[in-house]
Amino acid sequence: MTTDCIVSEIQLKYQPQPLTETIHGAKDIHKLLINRVFDADTIGYKESFKVLLLNQANKIIGYSTISDGGLTSNIVDVRVVMQTALVTNATSIILAHNHPSGNPIPSIHDDNLTKKIKSACELMDIRLLDHIIVTPFDNFYSYCNEGRL
């Protein structure tokens, strides 16, 4: 008895752009997130979780939206974060999400997610440089600046 088996080829697509931005600290990240990554029209409307992808020289390769949520929460699959980093050959990542409420203080869920992603990064030899929480009111929270990474 023979069974015809169809196996599909999986294709992952990544089109790198010229590297332009260099990151020197949380203020640079915040400025980039507010000016280029988060949409000013929706930053106060719903939560979005993004990952910045960097090469060995801390140049930004690009960013990816991992998920969009509701007013107070966001479902983030750690596997998707790591897949994105691997496909783009990132050696470092920076996590970012917004709090529409304007309060940049991380929740327990934020803390737990950061720990899970940090553990996954360590396993894959990818550096987690920071997790930044931005708000529509131009304030932010940096896990790195607070000594929490």
Side-chain angles (χ1 to χ4, degrees):
M1 176 191 303
T2 63
T3 306
D4 288 335
C5 182
I6 298 173
V7 178
S8 299
E9 179 182 0
I10 304 299
Q11 295 181 358
L12 302 173
K13 188 174 182 179
Y14 164 60
Q15 296 175 320
Q17 300 297 315
L19 304 173
T20 58
E21 302 287 340
T22 302
I23 296 301
H24 297 289
K27 286 184 181 182
D28 289 344
I29 300 166
H30 176 251
K31 181 180 174 184
L32 177 73
L33 292 171
I34 294 301
N35 293 333
R36 295 230 195 125
V37 175
F38 283 91
D39 184 343
D41 294 332
T42 60
I43 195 169
Y45 168 63
K46 64 180 180 175
E47 279 199 19
S48 292
F49 191 94
K50 307 191 185 270
V51 61
L52 295 174
L53 306 142
L54 296 89
N55 68 8
Q56 189 66 29
N58 279 353
K59 296 267 188 191
I60 296 192
I61 296 167
Y63 76 91
S64 181
T65 300
I66 301 301
S67 65
D68 285 317
L71 294 175
T72 60
S73 66
N74 212 354
I75 304 296
V76 177
D77 189 330
V78 174
R79 294 169 296 182
V80 174
V81 173
M82 299 313 299
Q83 176 190 44
T84 304
L86 291 170
V87 167
T88 60
N89 291 322
T91 58
S92 303
I93 63 172
I94 297 169
L95 309 174
H97 79 280
N98 64 309
H99 280 180
S101 68
N103 180 359
I105 304 303
S107 67
I108 291 171
H109 174 73
D110 295 337
D111 292 343
N112 290 339
L113 178 62
T114 304
K115 287 176 189 174
K116 281 177 72 173
I117 293 173
K118 182 178 180 184
S119 293
C121 283
E122 288 170 352
L123 184 65
M124 302 303 296
D125 284 333
I126 295 171
R127 294 174 295 157
L128 175 58
L129 298 179
D130 208 342
H131 182 171
I132 304 281
I133 300 171
V134 298
T135 75
F137 306 115
D138 203 34
N139 56 353
F140 70 97
Y141 183 93
S142 162
Y143 275 79
C144 185
N145 281 4
E146 297 298 324
R148 297 190 60 202
L149 284 181

